[in-house]
Amino acid sequence: MRPDQVAQGFIQSGLENLKGFEDFTASGQAVPELDCPHDKKAFPWVGKTTLIQKVTQALKSSGIPIDGFYTEEVREGGRRTGFDVVTLSGKRGPLSRVSSDSSASRREYRVGQYVVDLVSFEQLVLPMLRNVNHGSDAEKRICVIDEIGKMELFSQAFIQAVRQTLAGPGTIVLGTIPIPKGKPLDLVEEIRSRKDVKVFNVSNT
């Protein structure tokens, strides 16, 4: 069984226990389409990162080469204070944190109440994506990208790296994007409209 078929099988199995999730697979590549938790108007958390983690562990157990990152909530005293980026190699760094200062500076990237740490995000994610993109085309590998949302898309370098990864003939992508709402995100719509993308949808009802 090809790695993309294995990934889709694990995703579909995991979706049986989760709701409120949209998932997709592209050209041997798998990318989930999910309600984005970064948006303060988003639907309640539905377990998309849990699904990504379970699928990732299952793929590792199957011996399939896999790399990438996922986004994880940071909570203090039961309150969400931000998000971290966690690579599959175990590195962690801040993606965003709650800021009480409503006056955004010119160099500040903000989504709702969260201020994005673009330097931290790029330092963790870009080297990993470059490593995936420079791998051998002869060996199929999976790249986890959780997620491709408003915060991450402040980085033009990340946008370019994602496009390069999706175009890679030896790469299967398992990732997450927001459901359509509000102002469209160019890269998200580009991915959603690709003919080589497989989308899995699960409502939150």
Side-chain angles (χ1 to χ4, degrees):
M1 184 177 290
R2 300 196 317 266
D4 58 311
Q5 295 173 325
V6 175
Q8 290 186 50
F10 283 130
I11 291 168
Q12 289 170 325
S13 296
L15 286 174
E16 293 177 359
N17 299 314
L18 292 172
K19 295 182 178 181
F21 184 99
E22 281 187 282
D23 183 49
F24 71 85
T25 310
S27 85
Q29 306 169 353
V31 188
E33 182 178 1
L34 306 158
D35 183 42
C36 175
H38 299 342
D39 188 341
K40 64 182 180 180
K41 295 181 180 178
F43 296 131
W45 180 83
V46 293
K48 59 96 179 174
T49 294
T50 299
L51 176 59
I52 289 289
Q53 291 171 330
K54 288 182 177 180
V55 172
T56 297
Q57 289 302 317
L59 291 168
K60 283 183 177 180
S61 298
S62 299
I64 296 174
I66 185 168
D67 203 351
F69 74 93
Y70 59 88
T71 306
E72 191 170 73
E73 284 187 338
V74 177
R75 289 185 171 271
E76 295 179 7
R79 176 175 172 268
R80 188 169 68 193
T81 59
F83 298 91
D84 276 355
V85 169
V86 184
T87 69
L88 300 191
S89 62
K91 297 179 181 179
R92 175 187 290 268
L95 171 63
S96 65
R97 291 293 184 269
V98 170
S99 174
S100 58
D101 185 1
S102 60
S103 58
S105 67
R106 291 182 179 180
R107 296 183 179 180
E108 188 174 90
Y109 300 95
R110 180 183 288 268
V111 176
Q113 63 180 330
Y114 300 100
V115 174
V116 180
D117 190 336
L118 205 59
V119 172
S120 169
F121 172 69
E122 291 184 337
Q123 286 178 343
L124 279 172
V125 171
L126 295 183
M128 178 274 301
L129 289 177
R130 292 191 191 104
N131 182 60
V132 168
N133 292 331
H134 292 160
S136 171
D137 291 343
E139 181 183 40
K140 286 287 185 180
R141 57 198 175 277
I142 293 179
C143 180
V144 174
I145 305 178
D146 172 34
E147 59 199 352
I148 304 169
K150 288 183 180 179
M151 293 186 182
E152 295 82 1
L153 294 180
F154 282 121
S155 170
Q156 292 301 311
F158 174 69
I159 292 173
Q160 294 174 8
V162 169
R163 285 182 172 138
Q164 185 176 354
T165 303
L166 288 170
T171 304
I172 301 156
V173 177
L174 169 65
T176 61
I177 60 176
I179 60 172
K181 65 180 175 184
K183 183 179 179 180
L185 301 172
D186 291 344
L187 181 59
V188 172
E189 296 308 309
E190 178 184 319
I191 292 171
R192 185 181 289 114
S193 64
R194 288 175 63 113
K195 293 182 179 179
D196 59 358
V197 166
K198 173 67 176 178
V199 180
F200 300 87
N201 301 311
V202 176
S203 70
N204 66 334
T205 57

